[in-house]
Amino acid sequence: MNYTEQNFEEHIEEYLLGSGYQKRVPDDYNRDMCLIADDVIGFIKATQSKQYENLERQYGADTDEKILYNLSNQIHKNGVLDVLRKGFKDRGQKLSFAYFKPASKMNPDHENLYKENKFSVVRQLRYSKQNENSIDMVLFLNGIPIITMELKNSLTGQFVEEAIKQYKQDRDPREPLLQFKKVLVHFAVGNEKVYMSTRLSGDKTRFLPFNKDTENPVNPNGHKTAYLWEDILQRDTLLDLIANYLCLQVKTEKYYDSQKGLAEKKSEVLIFPRYHQLDCVRTVLDGVRQEAVGSNYLIQHSAGSGKSNSIAWLAHKLASFYQNEADTERLFDSIVVVTDRRVLDRQLQNNIKQFEQTKGVVNPIDMNSSQLKTALEKGKDIIITTIQKFPMISESMVDLKGQKFAVVIDEAHSSQSGETSKHLKRALAAGEVEENEEEFSLADEVLREIQLRGRQSHISYFAFTATPKNKTLELFGRKNDEGNYGAYHYYTMRQAIEEGFILDVLDNYTTYERYFKVRKSVEADEQYDEKKAKRLLVSYVDLTEHSIELKTRIMLDHFTGFAARAILGRGRAMVVTRSRLHAVKYYLMFRKIMKELHLPYKPLVAFSGKIVNEGREHTENSLNKLPSKVKIEDALKLPDYRILIVANKFQTGFDEPMLHTMYVDKMLGGVGAVQTLSRLNRTMSGKTGTVVIDFVNDIADIEKAFQPYYQRTLLEEETDPNKLHTYEQELADFEIFTRDEVVGFCEIFFNPKESQEMLQPILDRVVEKWSGREDDEKEEFRSTLQAYIRLYGFVSQLITYEDVELEQLYAFGRSLNRKLPKRKDHLPTEVLDAIDLDSFRLDQTYEGSITLVKEDGMTKGMTTGGAGKKEEYKDWLSNIINTINETYGLDLTDDDKVDIERMQEKLAENQELQEVAQSDNSRENVKYKFEKVVDMLLLDYVTSKTELYKKLTEPKVNKLFKSKWFDDYFGRAL
């Protein structure tokens, strides 16, 4: 038997009827009022008989008609969501058209009313007065339409895309039923995929995926999309969605208007949660229901996930959460939403505020710390603040005893660990840790500090991030069956790209390699630290006017020829520089060349503070010369400005959809590379892709940075707390301080009645002993001390370390570390007076896409090694210059480059090397084998490619390229 679309339709209907829906036929539907009249009146009579009787006394025989007429008008005026949530008054009678599940069972009458909600389903609903077009399936709540569905069956060659096309082309959005806000959502449903839209606009309609992943998993019991009718369309889920998730948001967008200049446009958007958003909140709430307060939940959601809405839903649900239906008190007293941005995130604040249904539930802390203090003390429901406010109030919070908190963290990074996090915990824990009213006890005070820094049984953390670092994974994550820490819920970068919510910023990636030579301009030949001198020489070359101008001309040539015309002529670009001085030099060069080219736009520059260039002091304001009320990010929307040059600004949290191209002149790696390049990934109409032109980084390094965050990110290994005892013993072995000095310090430090000035002589005596040691020993001690401080500050959050001696050493060590004289890292700047740039050129080395692998990424655990004294190796300036020239000025022909690529391919394919790399061999053993294979491959060129062989076997060049190739190979192999 052929499985037809009608069979698919019948299957869904049968399931719904079996789970409490009522069957209605098309003739039951009133096309004028868009209602099932009998169901509306039946619901009111069953749940609000007194109100109906009062209306009947006024309307008489016209009562039903009047109620239906007024209901239809209210839906037309305010939308179906507003009517279902609030109802309306008719002749002094408050009418409700839906009842929602109470948070607890304290009100049995409300529970009974909730059970009276009636869902019905109509197949092939003829909705129009103009024609006999029909919609495959429409769902009603108490006679009011809430969902339409067009179904397609792939076994007949009809896929979900046909349903989307039908909505766009054959369903007139001007029809009463299909107008904006007249129903909650339109579903396009296939056997394999589901899409949704809350606003039909003809060909401009945007359908969003409503799937478990880009491809839904195989369902052993039937259709891949069965979760839609088996879960989402069930009465409890739908009523929860209507009551707590759907939201009519007002979006404000700044744009350029040729008449008004910078203007704002407001639009209404009916928000229906995407599948992963709903799944995230429900999954987390299930966890909270089963676990005690004090648990942590890490949510790894990529850019494009709609994180602000997810946070808003979670915060509101937690604010009215009862762990058990029989509970009479909600689980959390306050929900504290924390962002690590110093200026409170306006989008996040507005989103949470717009989900507010009862005035006063949401309390943004946008003034000062006393405002936060008051909100916490009064137990406000949802408090939105920045983490920077907590240190100012943590000592003064004394009235929170017995309260429980849910802390929702936006962009969880290392700023939520260590001392900053300790202040947050202290503020929320004030009064929770027992105070000792008797005379001062050092042990009690130290234990109190331990309790405040460690995990708190009355605080649950819900941390959101797209790029979890190792500390974040270990602090907030959960250990899986394989022993790796990971997030509690995921929405991956891969899925966001595949679903079209963000663009793949690695799809068009171009790299350039700089080749240059410098020469010594003085006769004298001095010795300098080799590493420092090389760093200075390379920096000198990159700051020369010739280098800046050549790169600027390449950027402007690309921008004017391609990027400026992207996004229907609205394309913008960002230049990422390595320092404020670079940013200023680039800005001045851009301005000069743009004027020379008679371009109709100018550059913008963003950097903090002041910078002096060639004797002149500059700030971003003095260079940009923008009107006082115009921000840089707003100016970039104007046609007068198309290129933004940055130095450590706008590389995180900056969302400008018109940003199409990025020119990178800065080393990027790890999370920083992902966050910086991801400024390009925002979507908008007309934006079909992005471009990155990179003058510094290798594609292998960028791939290595992105791969761990492409899918799920897992922590390879957890931190070993016992390392603390090793550091404790190593510090004691230096014999620079004694146990008595640590105790003496802590007796003053932890006692508010003692004069803190008396800490100084204790520390000064220890610093004197340290100063008398050899340089190597001093730096080794400092390195060990810093490693202990870092490790204890982190580990003490994972487990409650009730070890008084460790806490005392931590308090003492932090103060001592500040007291030790800073390292003298003198850079031999005088070498710059002894050299000149001899030649400089740029060659394009790669153009194409960087492809990531569809597999979970692993990140290394926390490293505790200190920054000990770096070994100096001095060399003559002439030798340093020769090494620099041989490294960066290697004169490779096109044939040489082809041969080198072949050599790298042979390296990657070498079976023996693969076996060594993938076994349990140490890095050193793998490197030994790697270099042997390279030497063997080089021998092939002794006679056939003599010049190339000479270039690659010169000792310093050979060492440098082997080291770089090995880092790339080792990273990929492992």
Side-chain angles (χ1 to χ4, degrees):
M1 183 183 79
N2 291 329
Y3 190 81
T4 65
E5 186 177 306
Q6 183 177 341
N7 296 137
F8 187 33
E9 201 175 293
E10 287 172 352
H11 171 77
I12 296 174
E13 182 189 47
E14 286 174 10
Y15 193 94
L16 295 176
L17 294 176
S19 58
Y21 275 73
Q22 297 175 336
K23 182 179 178 66
R24 293 288 183 261
V25 297
D27 288 344
D28 293 331
Y29 177 73
N30 185 310
R31 299 193 198 188
D32 290 316
M33 292 186 287
C34 302
L35 300 168
I36 296 178
D38 290 346
D39 285 359
V40 173
I41 300 303
F43 175 74
I44 293 174
K45 287 180 176 179
T47 59
Q48 300 154 88
S49 57
K50 289 183 180 179
Q51 289 91 325
Y52 184 83
E53 290 169 4
N54 290 335
L55 287 172
E56 196 172 29
R57 280 193 286 271
Q58 300 182 63
Y59 286 133
D62 296 331
T63 301
D64 292 359
E65 185 179 342
K66 291 291 186 181
I67 290 174
L68 293 169
Y69 176 79
N70 290 336
L71 172 59
S72 181
N73 282 345
Q74 286 293 324
I75 291 175
H76 182 75
K77 179 181 177 182
N78 298 318
V80 67
L81 179 62
D82 184 83
V83 169
L84 288 173
R85 277 187 179 163
K86 300 176 182 177
F88 60 86
K89 283 187 177 181
D90 188 347
R91 291 289 180 95
Q93 300 303 306
K94 176 68 167 64
L95 295 178
S96 297
F97 294 90
Y99 288 99
F100 302 107
K101 191 171 186 177
S104 70
K105 291 192 174 181
M106 290 185 291
N107 189 337
D109 291 338
H110 197 130
E111 181 73 23
N112 291 332
L113 289 170
Y114 173 73
K115 293 176 181 177
E116 289 294 328
N117 289 303
K118 296 293 187 294
F119 285 86
S120 54
V121 54
V122 179
R123 286 172 56 193
Q124 296 302 320
L125 178 76
R126 291 182 291 276
Y127 58 89
S128 175
K129 293 174 65 179
Q130 311 300 321
N131 53 57
E132 290 302 300
N133 283 352
S134 64
I135 294 177
D136 288 341
M137 194 172 285
V138 180
L139 307 184
F140 293 79
L141 170 58
N142 302 321
I144 299 173
I146 56 173
I147 294 173
T148 77
M149 295 194 292
E150 291 290 357
L151 312 177
K152 296 299 170 189
N153 176 24
S154 57
L155 292 179
T156 61
Q158 296 279 303
F159 291 88
V160 70
E161 289 76 15
E162 292 298 320
I164 293 173
K165 181 179 178 182
Q166 200 167 11
Y167 269 120
K168 288 183 175 183
Q169 297 182 1
D170 301 332
R171 302 288 175 258
D172 188 345
R174 294 171 295 182
E175 290 281 358
L177 179 65
L178 303 182
Q179 291 173 9
F180 180 52
K181 299 191 290 188
K182 288 295 189 68
V183 295
L184 302 176
V185 65
H186 308 278
F187 280 120
V189 185
N191 311 95
E192 297 83 18
K193 291 183 180 182
V194 180
Y195 287 82
M196 67 173 181
S197 178
T198 58
R199 186 176 211 146
L200 298 182
S201 306
D203 287 335
K204 294 181 180 178
T205 305
R206 187 184 182 197
F207 273 87
L208 306 181
F210 191 80
N211 302 303
K212 294 185 175 183
D213 203 332
T214 312
E215 300 290 334
N216 279 312
V218 172
N219 176 9
N221 300 313
H223 300 283
K224 284 184 174 184
T225 53
Y227 60 88
L228 180 66
W229 52 92
E230 292 178 1
D231 177 11
I232 305 303
L233 301 184
Q234 292 300 297
R235 55 178 287 122
D236 286 343
T237 305
L238 278 181
L239 286 165
D240 186 30
L241 284 165
I242 296 168
N244 300 304
Y245 289 87
L246 273 76
C247 176
L248 189 65
Q249 285 186 355
V250 177
K251 298 282 188 181
T252 302
E253 180 185 356
K254 290 185 178 180
Y255 70 101
Y256 170 73
D257 183 273
S258 58
Q259 302 296 321
K260 303 175 184 176
L262 196 63
E264 285 189 350
K265 176 174 63 178
K266 292 188 177 182
S267 59
E268 286 185 323
V269 181
L270 182 57
I271 301 294
F272 192 99
R274 287 151 61 187
Y275 184 85
H276 75 272
Q277 293 173 316
L278 178 61
D279 186 64
C280 170
V281 176
R282 296 202 298 178
T283 300
V284 170
L285 291 178
D286 285 344
V288 175
R289 191 171 286 111
Q290 297 167 21
E291 299 175 344
V293 177
S295 300
N296 292 345
Y297 305 85
L298 177 63
I299 296 97
Q300 184 182 347
H301 279 197
S302 165
S305 69
K307 180 187 62 177
S308 293
N309 284 344
S310 298
I311 289 175
W313 281 313
L314 180 60
H316 280 282
K317 292 288 282 185
L318 289 172
S320 58
F321 186 80
Y322 291 78
Q323 195 163 24
N324 300 294
E325 291 184 345
D327 289 349
T328 57
E329 293 184 358
R330 63 186 187 182
L331 185 61
F332 297 107
D333 294 282
S334 292
I335 315 302
V336 184
V337 181
V338 183
T339 175
D340 63 359
R341 299 175 190 174
R342 293 187 178 274
V343 178
L344 191 60
D345 190 313
R346 293 295 173 187
Q347 180 189 354
L348 179 62
Q349 177 182 324
N350 291 338
N351 277 26
I352 296 176
K353 191 74 176 171
Q354 289 190 67
F355 281 101
E356 179 182 59
Q357 296 183 43
T358 303
K359 192 171 179 59
V361 168
V362 180
N363 298 267
I365 306 303
D366 48 13
M367 291 165 52
N368 51 43
S369 297
S370 62
Q371 184 189 15
L372 173 60
K373 180 177 184 293
T374 301
L376 289 168
E377 289 175 338
K378 290 184 176 180
K380 295 291 187 180
D381 294 322
I382 299 176
I383 301 165
I384 312 172
T385 187
T386 61
I387 199 166
Q388 286 79 15
K389 286 191 170 66
F390 276 89
M392 299 176 230
I393 62 162
S394 63
E395 296 291 350
S396 59
M397 297 301 292
V398 295
D399 300 320
L400 302 180
K401 190 169 184 177
Q403 293 191 35
K404 296 177 182 177
F405 299 94
V407 178
V408 183
I409 301 173
D410 174 24
E411 280 305 321
H413 290 307
S414 54
S415 59
Q416 271 70 254
S417 61
E419 291 305 301
T420 309
S421 177
K422 181 177 128 180
H423 283 290
L424 184 152
K425 291 173 181 175
R426 176 183 284 140
L428 302 184
E432 190 69 16
V433 179
E434 292 186 9
E435 300 288 346
N436 188 347
E437 296 181 357
E438 301 173 4
E439 62 182 69
F440 171 76
S441 164
L442 175 61
D444 288 344
E445 285 300 307
V446 172
L447 285 175
R448 181 175 181 273
E449 286 292 306
I450 295 170
Q451 289 173 301
L452 288 172
R453 186 180 294 106
R455 287 188 171 175
Q456 300 292 319
S457 62
H458 68 299
I459 307 175
S460 291
Y461 288 91
F462 305 84
F464 286 76
T465 180
T467 50
K469 296 180 181 178
N470 50 11
K471 285 186 179 182
T472 308
L473 285 164
E474 193 166 357
L475 187 58
F476 297 115
R478 302 288 181 99
K479 190 181 288 189
N480 62 20
D481 294 338
E482 288 74 39
N484 305 124
Y485 282 87
Y488 198 78
H489 195 273
Y490 296 91
Y491 178 77
T492 65
M493 182 194 298
R494 173 194 56 77
Q495 186 175 350
I497 291 170
E498 290 176 352
E499 291 186 337
F501 287 102
I502 58 174
L503 296 168
D504 183 359
V505 299
L506 304 184
D507 196 39
N508 294 293
Y509 211 99
T510 300
T511 60
Y512 278 83
E513 186 77 37
R514 64 200 190 289
Y515 299 97
F516 61 84
K517 291 184 178 181
V518 292
R519 57 183 171 81
K520 194 157 63 73
S521 59
V522 295
E523 291 187 12
D525 200 7
E526 302 287 340
Q527 282 192 327
Y528 300 99
D529 175 75
E530 185 184 36
K531 288 184 178 179
K532 293 177 183 177
K534 284 180 182 176
R535 195 167 78 215
L536 274 172
L537 290 174
V538 173
S539 177
Y540 157 78
V541 170
D542 286 331
L543 278 169
T544 59
E545 184 175 2
H546 179 70
S547 169
I548 297 286
E549 181 174 358
L550 183 56
K551 292 176 189 175
T552 300
R553 290 190 181 278
I554 290 174
M555 294 178 203
L556 277 174
D557 184 57
H558 174 269
F559 186 79
T560 55
F562 180 74
R565 293 184 289 182
I567 321 178
L568 305 177
R570 292 179 290 173
R572 265 58 175 173
M574 177 183 284
V575 181
V576 179
T577 69
R578 69 195 71 184
S579 73
R580 295 181 301 158
L581 181 57
H582 282 83
V584 169
K585 285 183 175 291
Y586 265 119
Y587 173 82
L588 296 173
M589 186 60 71
F590 264 91
R591 197 169 64 180
K592 171 187 170 185
I593 299 175
M594 290 166 94
K595 186 176 180 180
E596 170 191 310
L597 296 175
H598 304 291
L599 296 178
Y601 42 80
K602 296 172 286 188
L604 290 163
V605 66
F607 61 91
S608 58
K610 301 174 181 178
I611 192 72
V612 176
N613 176 54
E614 297 180 359
R616 294 188 62 183
E617 185 178 273
H618 300 283
T619 66
E620 61 181 25
N621 290 334
S622 69
L623 291 171
N624 293 324
K625 294 183 172 62
L626 295 174
S628 59
K629 293 185 179 180
V630 177
K631 298 178 180 177
I632 291 175
E633 55 266 41
D634 293 335
L636 192 60
K637 296 179 182 293
L638 301 173
D640 296 341
Y641 304 97
R642 304 289 295 271
I643 297 174
L644 173 61
I645 302 161
V646 302
N648 294 323
K649 291 185 77 172
F650 293 99
Q651 288 174 234
T652 60
F654 177 53
D655 298 334
E656 174 49 71
M658 289 191 293
L659 198 59
H660 172 273
T661 298
M662 185 174 288
Y663 305 109
V664 180
D665 195 29
K666 175 185 180 179
M667 286 293 294
L668 298 174
V671 172
V674 178
Q675 291 177 336
T676 298
L677 296 176
S678 293
R679 296 312 97 212
L680 296 176
N681 67 20
R682 274 39 179 186
T683 61
M684 68 176 295
S685 176
K687 187 175 179 181
T688 57
T690 66
V691 172
V692 178
I693 295 182
D694 196 327
F695 295 92
V696 179
N697 302 282
D698 186 84
I699 58 167
D701 297 328
I702 298 301
E703 178 187 334
K704 185 178 179 182
F706 270 77
Q707 187 62 60
Y709 306 107
Y710 189 53
Q711 293 203 146
R712 300 189 309 161
T713 306
L714 302 172
L715 182 68
E716 203 168 75
E717 57 188 10
E718 61 185 305
T719 304
D720 180 11
N722 286 323
K723 185 69 174 173
L724 285 170
H725 300 298
T726 303
Y727 287 140
E728 181 186 26
Q729 185 58 51
E730 288 176 359
L731 288 171
D733 291 343
F734 281 102
E735 296 184 350
I736 287 176
F737 61 82
T738 66
R739 176 69 195 151
D740 288 342
E741 285 172 320
V742 174
V743 173
F745 172 92
C746 291
E747 284 176 339
I748 300 169
F749 182 82
F750 289 111
N751 190 345
K753 297 178 182 177
E754 291 284 350
S755 172
Q756 297 295 299
E757 282 77 11
M758 296 310 297
L759 296 173
Q760 296 299 321
I762 298 174
L763 295 171
D764 287 339
R765 284 193 291 270
V766 175
V767 172
E768 278 187 8
K769 282 189 278 185
W770 175 84
S771 300
R773 303 296 176 90
E774 295 293 327
D775 287 347
D776 288 351
E777 187 178 0
K778 286 194 295 187
E779 291 307 318
E780 189 179 349
F781 173 85
R782 189 205 303 268
S783 175
T784 306
L785 181 66
Q786 291 174 345
Y788 176 83
I789 293 168
R790 279 196 300 274
L791 185 60
Y792 187 83
F794 177 62
V795 169
S796 60
Q797 296 180 87
L798 302 176
I799 52 179
T800 301
Y801 247 106
E802 298 202 3
D803 185 323
V804 171
E805 292 187 0
L806 289 179
E807 175 68 26
Q808 289 175 332
L809 180 57
Y810 177 72
F812 172 79
R814 288 185 72 234
S815 295
L816 177 59
N817 184 53
R818 295 192 192 104
K819 191 82 172 171
L820 293 176
K822 303 299 180 191
R823 290 188 181 93
K824 294 180 180 179
D825 190 22
H826 172 68
L827 288 173
T829 54
E830 58 271 21
V831 301
L832 301 182
D833 297 326
I835 55 118
D836 286 324
L837 182 63
D838 193 36
S839 65
F840 184 95
R841 79 175 194 276
L842 289 165
D843 286 349
Q844 183 177 311
T845 53
Y846 180 81
E847 184 175 18
S849 64
I850 300 176
T851 305
L852 301 178
V853 182
K854 294 182 179 181
E855 62 184 21
D856 293 340
M858 302 295 291
T859 185
K860 300 284 186 183
M862 178 185 173
T863 56
T864 55
K869 185 177 186 297
K870 296 177 181 177
E871 182 180 349
E872 284 193 4
Y873 170 72
K874 290 198 170 186
D875 199 357
W876 297 101
L877 178 58
S878 55
N879 291 335
I880 294 171
I881 289 175
N882 286 336
T883 303
I884 285 281
N885 289 340
E886 287 160 352
T887 304
Y888 293 98
L890 199 59
D891 195 14
L892 297 174
T893 67
D894 290 340
D895 287 341
D896 289 341
K897 293 173 185 176
V898 171
D899 289 324
I900 288 174
E901 285 180 10
R902 286 176 182 164
M903 189 188 304
Q904 288 179 298
E905 289 171 4
K906 290 178 181 179
L907 268 172
E909 294 168 358
N910 188 279
Q911 194 64 38
E912 290 183 16
L913 185 56
Q914 287 179 18
E915 290 174 2
V916 173
Q918 292 169 5
S919 65
D920 292 330
N921 285 296
S922 66
R923 182 185 176 96
E924 288 72 24
N925 288 340
V926 178
K927 188 173 184 180
Y928 176 81
K929 179 64 177 178
F930 178 90
E931 292 184 347
K932 290 294 182 184
V933 174
V934 173
D935 289 339
M936 179 188 70
L937 293 172
L938 279 174
L939 285 174
D940 293 342
Y941 297 138
V942 172
T943 55
S944 60
K945 303 280 184 177
T946 307
E947 289 303 315
L948 178 60
Y949 180 82
K950 288 179 180 178
K951 293 173 186 176
L952 296 182
T953 53
E954 197 285 325
K956 287 188 171 66
V957 173
N958 185 267
K959 180 181 178 182
L960 284 166
F961 90 80
K962 275 184 180 176
S963 177
K964 186 177 186 308
W965 283 13
F966 176 71
D967 286 342
D968 293 343
Y969 182 88
F970 191 79
R972 292 187 183 195
L974 301 186

